[in-house]
């Protein structure tokens, strides 16, 4: 045995090659195991460090990288890397939003939340974007996942403010109850939650509950909530107590309209004491004669107390003092519009024109008061002025305003109602505008148009408590119509010649036939007809109706409508609608119709972000 074999036996060398020659001699190649193991170990460590440093360099190429090289090299810190990357995505998203790149900002914020679901700060930023854009559903979906981890006060404030603006006080009440049930609640946070609870209960007009919460939480002396407490007492029939309670509050020099005077006026209104109301308002203006807000408050209170002559007097007094300032005149006119008194509005708008030339926004406010009062002839005259102002200023002339200018006093024909439906459904209108039109058409006795506007409004504002109440009234009207005319089919806004499908299966067949024949306009009319008629089987046809509406909108190239209709379907039935949506994107891309393709890709950023991002990178021209 040679020395190499001896070292191999000792484990110091390892036979690397062992081969027998033609002469029967075995040849072996040995290597020094220890030296090679040390060498390989050193190389492995160097490679590991180099890979970590390289990855760190690659991550540092992007702004706001929060991952450090030690996070990559030390295994016990690997679990924190996704969270740090999420923090970087959130900071980059904020930068994109700051320069106006909203889509990129939203995409990065969503990536941040994918990596760190309990990232409250990122949810605050994302919810702010949705809130500023008036997209309540986005705010709600952003906030709700955070509740499982514990939401910050700022995030809850964002959600609840958006919920109240969207007429969804039930969401606030549910959220407050969940928060109040937490064990780790301090006194200050409980007080803050109960204040929100009072506001939400007041929005639902649950006045006994409002008073009970304020009494339990000892909020009766809260100056900010005092008007709600007074209203609660009045609504519960405790008017004398409300009058005495209103006198408890001291006057503050910081208030343009002293709270004790305001509360005393409201108590007088509740007691239907016109003499006392006039005395209180006179005292209010005697104390605050130089405060514009005091005059406007007096005007509003006089209107609530049905003292219109006094309200006109206060409005003219305001204009005599501050009519030379355009901003002051607009302040007054906004408050006049808020009173919803068409006679008062007519008088003070005419008076205001003696002091300042009124713009399109001012006149549009007057037109909305007239719409709510169903004064259609006046609406046409006012909107004619608005149109002239738009033409002279070059400002946009919304389709719904143009349509309202042609309503007139005659009953609406089905074809004109369909035209209104198309106009209203084409853009996301403010909830207040739906309420204005509903009140106006109800006063005109046009319940078919009320039903149509309610249906469109609920599609655009599905959480609105007010629109749910209108839907209940529409349902009661339909039932009354069926009782009075049992042989008639109540299909609101539909042409008499159209026959309602017998069941969901018949609707499926008819939709498929129209789609195959590419008769898209008729397909859209069929879907609207079924939704208005609301047959007993309509719940079974939910998917078919959604498909019909989307196909019809795509068939007539209304991609904004496609986007609005498709968004909830992609959330609820992604497997069904993803292939169709990508197919449309591919077709539109081939045709070079980038704006339409972009509409769909923006939706896909939510449900299929990687593919949508790849499409965006591949098609920068889009």
């Amino acid at each position: 045995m040679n020395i190499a074999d001896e070292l191999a036996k000792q484990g110091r060398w390892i036979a690397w090659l062992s081969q027998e020659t033609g002469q029967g001699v075995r040849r072996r190649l040995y290597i020094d195991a220890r030296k090679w193991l040390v060498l390989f170990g050193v190389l492995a460590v160097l490679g590991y460090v180099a890979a970590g440093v390289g990855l760190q360099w690659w991550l540092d190429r992007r702004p706001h990288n929060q991952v450090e090289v030690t996070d990559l090299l030390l295994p016990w810190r690997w679990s924190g890397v996704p969270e740090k990357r999420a923090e970087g995505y959130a900071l980059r998203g904020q930068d994109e939003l700051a320069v106006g790149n909203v889509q990129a900002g939203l995409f990065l914020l969503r990536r941040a939340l994918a990596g760190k679901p309990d990232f409250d700060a990122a949810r605050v930023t994302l919810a702010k974007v949705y809130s500023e854009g008036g997209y309540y559903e986005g705010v709600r979906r952003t906030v709700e996942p955070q509740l499982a981890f514990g939401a910050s006060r700022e995030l809850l404030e964002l959600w609840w403010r958006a919920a109240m603006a969207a007429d969804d006080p039930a969401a606030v009440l549910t959220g407050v109850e969940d928060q109040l049930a937490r064990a780790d609640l301090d006194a200050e946070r409980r007080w803050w939650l109960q204040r929100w609870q009072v506001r939400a209960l007041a929005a639902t007009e649950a006045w006994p509950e409002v008073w009970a919460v304020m009494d339990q939480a000892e909020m009766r002396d809260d100056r900010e909530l005092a008007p709600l407490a007074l209203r609660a007492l009045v609504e519960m029939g405790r008017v004398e107590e409300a009058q005495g309670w209103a006198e408890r509050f001291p006057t503050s020099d910081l208030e343009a309209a002293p709270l004790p005077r305001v509360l005393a006026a409201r108590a007088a209104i509740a007691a239907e004491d016109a003499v006392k109301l006039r005395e209180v308002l006179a005292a209010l203006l005697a104390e605050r004669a130089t405060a514009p807000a005091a005059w406007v408050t007096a005007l509003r209170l006089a209107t609530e107390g049905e003292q219109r002559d006094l309200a006109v007097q206060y409005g003219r007094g305001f204009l005599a003092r501050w009519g030379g300032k355009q901003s002051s005149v607009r302040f007054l006119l906004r408050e006049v519009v808020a009173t919803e008194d068409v006679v008062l509005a007519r008088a003070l708008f005419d008076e205001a024109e003696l002091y300042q030339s009124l713009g399109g926004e001012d006149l549009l406010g007057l037109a909305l008061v007239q719409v709510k009062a169903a004064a259609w002839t006046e609406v046409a005259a006012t909107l004619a002025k608005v149109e002239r102002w738009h033409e002279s200023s070059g400002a946009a002339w919304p389709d719904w305003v143009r349509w309202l200018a042609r309503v007139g006093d005659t009953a609406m024909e089905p074809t004109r109602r369909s035209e209104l439906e198309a106009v209203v459904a084409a853009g996301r209108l403010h909830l207040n505008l739906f309420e204005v039109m509903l009140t106006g058409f109800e006063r005109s006795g046009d319940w078919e148009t009320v039903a149509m506007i309610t249906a469109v409004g609920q599609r655009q504002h599905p959480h609105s408590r007010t629109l749910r109440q209108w839907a209940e009234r529409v349902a009661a009207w339909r039932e009354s119509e069926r009782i009075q005319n049992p042989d008639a089919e109540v299909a609101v806004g539909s042409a008499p010649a159209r026959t309602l499908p017998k069941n969901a299966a018949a609707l499926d067949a008819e939709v498929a036939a129209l789609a195959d024949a590419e008769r898209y306009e008729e397909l859209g009319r069929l879907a609207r007809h079924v939704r208005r008629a609301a047959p007993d089987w309509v719940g079974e046809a939910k998917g078919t109706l959604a498909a019909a509406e989307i196909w019809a909108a795509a068939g007539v190239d209304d991609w904004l409508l496609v986007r609005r209709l498709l968004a909830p379907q992609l959330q609820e039935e992604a497997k069904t609608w993803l292939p169709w949506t990508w197919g449309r994107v591919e077709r539109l891309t081939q045709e070079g119709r980038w704006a339409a393709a972009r509409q769909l890709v923006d939706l896909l950023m939510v449900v299929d972000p990687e593919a949508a991002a790849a499409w965006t990178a591949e098609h920068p021209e889009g």
Side-chain angles (χ1 to χ4, degrees), residues 69-356:
V69 67
T70 51
D71 298 319
L72 301 171
L73 294 178
L74 302 178
W76 55 88
R77 297 181 64 170
W78 287 350
S79 61
V81 171
E83 291 191 1
K84 290 195 172 185
R85 294 205 67 189
E87 292 170 4
Y89 285 134
L91 293 172
R92 287 168 56 195
Q94 291 174 4
D95 286 350
E96 295 289 351
L97 292 173
V99 298
N101 195 349
V102 177
Q103 291 298 333
L106 293 177
F107 174 72
L108 288 166
L109 287 169
R110 292 190 194 104
R111 288 199 66 179
L113 292 175
K116 188 178 179 182
D118 61 343
F119 198 169
D120 188 278
R123 291 193 187 276
V124 168
T125 303
L126 187 57
K128 280 182 180 177
V129 175
Y130 288 138
S131 179
E132 290 168 0
Y135 181 35
Y136 171 58
E137 190 66 21
V139 176
R140 187 180 64 82
R141 291 179 179 175
T142 300
V143 176
E144 285 183 343
Q146 185 67 33
L147 300 180
F149 306 104
S152 67
R153 180 165 169 169
E154 183 180 9
L155 188 60
L156 292 174
E157 287 264 9
L158 271 170
W159 178 24
W160 293 340
R161 279 199 300 269
M164 295 295 281
D167 193 24
D168 187 18
V172 180
L173 292 173
T174 302
V176 168
E177 289 170 2
D178 290 343
Q179 293 294 314
L180 287 172
R182 293 179 175 270
D184 56 342
L185 204 61
D186 57 39
E188 194 275 335
R189 189 175 178 90
R190 178 178 295 277
W191 174 270
W192 169 73
L193 290 170
Q194 287 173 324
R195 287 170 67 87
W196 269 107
Q197 189 176 26
V198 167
R199 296 189 190 104
L201 287 169
T204 63
E205 299 182 345
W207 298 111
E209 289 83 353
V210 168
W211 182 257
V213 173
M214 294 187 72
D215 193 28
Q216 179 186 2
E218 298 182 354
M219 292 181 179
R220 289 166 297 177
D221 296 329
D222 188 307
R223 297 182 73 89
E224 182 182 343
L225 299 179
L228 298 181
L230 181 76
R231 176 76 182 277
L233 287 172
V234 169
E235 293 294 337
M236 291 188 296
R238 296 157 63 177
V239 177
E240 292 185 3
E241 183 180 348
Q243 289 177 308
W245 178 82
E247 298 172 357
R248 296 170 47 195
F249 288 88
T251 300
S252 170
D253 294 334
L254 300 177
E255 294 172 334
L259 180 62
R261 299 295 185 190
V262 174
L263 295 177
R266 293 195 185 281
I269 292 170
E272 299 181 358
D273 188 342
V275 175
K276 177 66 174 178
L277 174 61
R278 287 173 175 263
E279 290 176 358
V280 171
L281 295 181
L284 187 156
L285 291 180
E287 295 175 6
R288 296 289 192 272
T290 59
W295 286 80
V296 169
T297 301
L299 179 149
R300 188 169 58 247
L301 291 168
T303 305
E304 291 177 15
E306 299 181 359
Q307 305 297 308
R308 184 183 291 144
D309 61 323
L310 199 60
V312 172
Q313 177 186 327
Y314 291 152
R316 288 173 175 166
F318 180 102
L319 289 170
R321 290 166 173 77
W322 298 286
K325 295 180 64 176
Q326 190 176 48
S327 60
S328 297
V329 172
R330 287 189 168 177
F331 169 55
L332 171 68
L333 295 183
R334 282 196 300 270
E335 294 299 320
V336 170
V337 168
T339 66
E340 300 179 359
D341 186 324
V342 68
V343 177
L344 176 67
R346 185 188 305 125
L348 291 182
F349 268 78
D350 289 344
E351 187 84 12
E353 285 190 301
L354 300 176
Y355 293 88
Q356 297 286 342

Side-chain angles (χ1 to χ4, degrees), residues 59-76:
L59 292 174
D60 276 338
R61 294 170 60 193
R62 291 166 173 78
H64 299 299
N65 173 44
Q66 304 296 302
V67 181
E68 301 175 356
V69 67
T70 51
D71 298 319
L72 301 171
L73 294 178
L74 302 178
W76 55 88

